Amino acid sequence: MGAEPPGKPKQAEGRESMAGGGRQLQDRVVDLILESGLPPGSPLPSEPQLMAQLGASRNSIRETLRALHTLGIVDIRHGYGTFVGEAPVTALMPGLLFRARQSARQDASTLADFIQIRRILETALIAEVPQHADEDFLAELESCVAEIRTGDVVEADRRFHQTLYRPVGNEIAVQLIDLFWTVYHRVEEEIDPPEWLREEIGREHQSIVDAIRSGDAGRAAEAMTQHFADIERRSRRFIDRQR
């Protein structure tokens, strides 16, 4: 009888099986939350109850809850219990930032990918902003522009883009925009701290505010498109310096 062809080592197969089982258990806990109609902040069943309901060991339940906590799906409060989490988009940050940093070390043009994603999101949403703009909102944006010109450019820019889409009411979009803003700037600063052109960036943001104040959705979209064209131009100069 011929020898069987070599396969994966039993230890590796065991690890893969455990990983697959862990993912399945995570899915079952998520299903339990959804089927039970538990809103964010609600307490989960206790560990013994989850063990009985899901037919899993204590260690497996604990590992599953820790994994779901990392994703923001559950909130482990030591001494109080485990609760349903908010599952914010920002839970994606560690993995996305790691991938971006790793890729950018080999090819700085990775930064252009993050700018493209931001441009797609922001140019799609900006046309909805003018109809929601009031004087308090516009004053907040003007304050950000003033800070860009005289203070912390990076933080003011972030606050501007966080504030800009708040009236639209699309919380997921706002979180995604902030997520990709943060990843882009973290990677850019790590490769080579950029030279900030205060007046140029200030003018770009003021143009957006002026367009929103006019109430013209088309003009607002054009101002945002121009803003990202300028960001992409500065980014190309930055990328070229790294090559």
Side-chain angles (χ1 to χ4, degrees), residues 27-61:
D27 290 342
R28 292 175 66 193
V29 171
V30 169
D31 288 343
L32 185 152
I33 292 170
L34 297 175
E35 291 168 3
S36 301
L38 299 177
S42 299
L44 259 64
S46 65
E47 280 186 4
Q49 290 173 320
L50 289 173
M51 291 165 59
Q53 286 181 258
L54 302 175
S57 69
R58 184 181 297 274
N59 282 343
S60 294
I61 293 295

Side-chain angles (χ1 to χ4, degrees), residues 184-202:
Y184 169 78
H185 283 279
R186 285 281 302 276
V187 173
E188 182 186 46
E189 290 173 1
E190 184 171 296
I191 296 174
D192 182 23
E195 297 176 5
W196 289 103
L197 308 173
R198 285 184 184 276
E199 277 307 309
E200 181 179 338
I201 296 171

Side-chain angles (χ1 to χ4, degrees), residues 155-217:
E155 187 54 38
D157 180 71
R158 180 179 188 176
R159 188 160 59 89
F160 182 92
H161 288 271
Q162 286 177 327
T163 303
L164 188 57
Y165 303 102
R166 195 174 60 213
V168 174
N170 189 328
E171 184 179 347
I172 293 176
V174 171
Q175 289 183 10
L176 280 172
I177 288 168
D178 190 53
L179 174 67
F180 285 104
W181 185 99
T182 302
V183 171
Y184 169 78
H185 283 279
R186 285 281 302 276
V187 173
E188 182 186 46
E189 290 173 1
E190 184 171 296
I191 296 174
D192 182 23
E195 297 176 5
W196 289 103
L197 308 173
R198 285 184 184 276
E199 277 307 309
E200 181 179 338
I201 296 171
R203 282 195 303 271
E204 293 169 14
H205 287 76
Q206 187 63 56
S207 294
I208 295 169
V209 177
D210 292 343
I212 293 169
R213 188 183 296 277
S214 75
D216 187 334

